[in-house]
Amino acid sequence: MSRLTNGWGAINTSANSDLRMDLDVLRSRSRDLAQNNDYARKFLQMLETNVVGPDGFILRSLSAKPDGSPDQTDRNSIEAGLDEWGTPGNCETSGIYSFADMQRMLIRAIGRDGEALVRRIRNPKYSHGYKQQLLDIDRLDSKYNEELPNGNLVTMGIEYDTFGAPVAYHLLTRHPGDTLRGGTAAAIKRERVPAEEVFHLFRPDRPEQTRGVP
């Protein structure tokens, strides 16, 4: 320690320990900038424009015949099937958004909130048997941390096995800030959703990091 470094904290804590206390505040400030700061709004618009584009990601099938030559019939059928699934009412549970709309909202969420959450819903009543549900990342409770009897650890709402693989997401049944629907009491309830039913999208900065940083 010296006069220059006297006020410089140097404590080695895990990424999750750092995030556990600060993540909600970081996210709320980032959202405030996204609403009220011209530079932040422009940054998010540039993400939508340059990463997703006006039409979203487009599939180009490489289906081939047994001899290796292109199977144009299969390629056309696969691409047409995804285009049909990606229309509003087919790909997303509310029926409002197209697949391209979802992509724009997800990249915006990752840029603003640091992470995004999608639940995968399989149901034979759907025309394609499968839809996706966009969830606000606040539904994944960063304050929920627990060691379970089976040895799994819940870290900021995500349940991990002993090897650090996610096995479930403990999602709040309602947004914790949804004061229009009876306050926060209902949001205390949690639903355990298997990991294979969830896409949790974020870019980690450190090994063993469980949540994204705005």
Side-chain angles (χ1 to χ4, degrees), residues 48-60 82-83 86-87 98-104:
E48 290 187 15
T49 300
N50 295 306
V51 177
V52 178
D55 301 316
F57 301 121
I58 299 173
L59 173 69
R60 289 290 177 259
L82 182 62
D83 287 343
T87 57
S98 69
F99 192 39
D101 293 333
M102 294 172 62
Q103 294 167 31
R104 283 187 283 269

Side-chain angles (χ1 to χ4, degrees), residues 108-157:
R108 177 176 283 267
I110 292 172
R112 179 191 62 237
D113 302 336
E115 50 188 341
L117 202 62
V118 180
R119 186 168 181 179
R120 309 169 72 187
I121 308 294
R122 293 178 174 85
N123 194 316
K125 74 177 183 179
Y126 298 147
S127 59
H128 293 75
Y130 172 74
K131 291 185 180 182
Q132 296 181 351
Q133 181 184 15
L134 296 174
L135 298 174
D136 194 299
I137 196 61
D138 292 345
R139 295 271 294 273
L140 189 56
D141 188 3
S142 61
K143 297 295 188 292
Y144 179 41
N145 299 276
E146 185 177 357
E147 184 171 356
L148 303 178
N150 62 1
N152 289 350
L153 293 175
V154 179
T155 304
M156 290 186 283

Side-chain angles (χ1 to χ4, degrees), residues 30-42:
S30 180
R31 288 174 175 174
D32 180 75
L33 289 173
Q35 291 177 340
N36 300 303
N37 182 277
D38 290 338
Y39 292 101
R41 284 200 301 269
K42 180 63 175 179

Side-chain angles (χ1 to χ4, degrees), residues 11-23 26 145 155-156 202-213:
I11 301 174
N12 288 319
T13 57
S14 70
N16 295 325
S17 296
D18 289 340
L19 288 175
R20 180 170 177 261
M21 302 304 297
D22 299 328
L23 182 58
L26 286 171
N145 299 276
T155 304
M156 290 186 283
F202 72 99
R203 293 185 59 186
D205 298 313
R206 295 174 59 183
E208 302 183 60
Q209 179 179 332
T210 62
R211 301 292 300 268
V213 183

